[in-house]
Amino acid sequence: SSELTQDPAVSVALGQTVRITCQGDSLRSYYASWYQQKPGQAPVLVIYGKNNRPSGIPDRFSGSSSGNTASLTITGAQAEDEADYYCNSRDSSGNHLRVFGGGTKLTVL
Amino acid sequence: QVQLVQSGAEVKKPGASVKVSCKASGYTFTSYAMHWVRQAPGQRLEWMGWINAGNGNTKYSQKFQGRVTITRDTSASTAYMELSSLRSEDTAVYYCAREGYYYDSSGKTDWFDPWGQGTLVTVSS
């Protein structure tokens, strides 16, 4: 399968820890990358590779992977973390295609 | 700094074609692939295809195969995405995104960064 599956919505209390997951066959072979998108804005890369953060991304964002599941963890969620989060990876067909997950809307309570 | 600047909003009639440009600056254009992603109103991100800016090779999502053409002009450091036979369902914001990458013992790892600001394409009669 070339699909990546995410929970549509997740909520977290301010300052608590939340994990957003992404499942798919291709994740057994390839790392996921994670993108944060706020309303009306272009997506922003937050995690790539095994667990790498681009410059300017707070260290409360981290990534991990096990089997067919990739996870994005926010430790100590802040109000500004409320956004849609998308995972992306290569397609498992080996044809150098890419696929996005359906996205997870994170609400910070 | 690395920057991608896209062309402006477009309004097209059903059946027409649209060509969106993405001008890159701040890096060697031919050293990185460029991807195109779209997002219909209120919907998920949808990967469309990519171009190797060095040799011009392309790969497209099966969903858009036959309707999308991605090209580049190396002299202008610009990538283009053309979508034909437009229908109302193609109304969306279209983004270009540069592929970042590294190689290690696991092979190649890649990601999209940065992204262009997006181009709204509206298809309406």
Side-chain angles (χ1 to χ4, degrees):
Chain A
S1 169
S2 61
E3 295 184 348
L4 296 178
T5 302
Q6 297 182 241
D7 291 329
V10 171
S11 62
V12 61
L14 184 67
Q16 296 303 300
T17 296
V18 62
R19 175 175 292 182
I20 297 170
T21 61
C22 173
Q23 289 188 301
D25 289 344
S26 64
L27 299 178
R28 296 184 184 278
S29 304
Y30 305 108
Y31 288 119
S33 52
W34 290 92
Y35 304 86
Q36 177 192 69
Q37 187 181 35
K38 297 182 179 179
Q41 298 183 17
V44 173
L45 176 71
V46 294
I47 291 289
Y48 64 97
K50 189 173 183 180
N51 180 17
N52 300 290
R53 280 175 293 105
S55 172
I57 300 301
D59 61 7
R60 64 179 178 270
F61 288 88
S62 63
S64 62
S65 185
S66 178
N68 73 335
T69 301
S71 300
L72 172 70
T73 300
I74 306 174
T75 303
Q78 302 299 303
E80 60 264 32
D81 299 334
E82 185 162 294
D84 293 326
Y85 290 86
Y86 292 90
C87 60
N88 179 271
S89 186
R90 291 187 173 215
D91 179 273
S92 55
S93 68
N95 291 326
H96 305 289
L97 307 181
R98 306 291 190 274
V99 61
F100 281 97
T104 297
K105 180 170 181 56
L106 176 66
T107 300
V108 180
L109 304 171
Chain B
Q1 76 284 18
V2 177
Q3 193 173 11
L4 303 176
V5 178
Q6 298 183 220
S7 49
E10 303 261 13
V11 179
K12 296 292 183 181
K13 294 194 181 301
S17 296
V18 68
K19 191 171 186 177
V20 179
S21 67
C22 171
K23 182 168 178 59
S25 61
Y27 71 97
T28 301
F29 179 72
T30 51
S31 295
Y32 295 82
M34 192 75 77
H35 293 251
W36 288 87
V37 176
R38 80 174 188 181
Q39 187 172 41
Q43 301 301 308
R44 60 186 281 177
L45 298 175
E46 191 170 28
W47 181 81
M48 299 181 71
W50 66 277
I51 186 166
N52 179 321
N55 61 22
N57 288 346
T58 54
K59 288 281 188 182
Y60 303 123
S61 166
Q62 198 165 2
K63 176 174 180 176
F64 300 102
Q65 192 81 37
R67 280 209 305 144
V68 68
T69 304
I70 299 174
T71 57
R72 96 286 191 222
D73 178 348
T74 58
S75 66
S77 296
T78 301
Y80 302 90
M81 186 285 301
E82 184 169 20
L83 188 62
S84 63
S85 302
L86 290 169
R87 36 211 188 227
S88 59
E89 310 89 89
D90 295 317
T91 293
V93 176
Y94 291 76
Y95 296 101
C96 59
R98 190 190 77 165
E99 178 183 294
Y101 64 93
Y102 65 74
Y103 288 92
D104 61 13
S105 57
S106 301
K108 183 183 181 187
T109 295
D110 48 51
W111 58 91
F112 306 142
D113 182 57
W115 294 59
Q117 83 275 19
T119 297
L120 175 62
V121 175
T122 302
V123 182
S124 174
S125 54

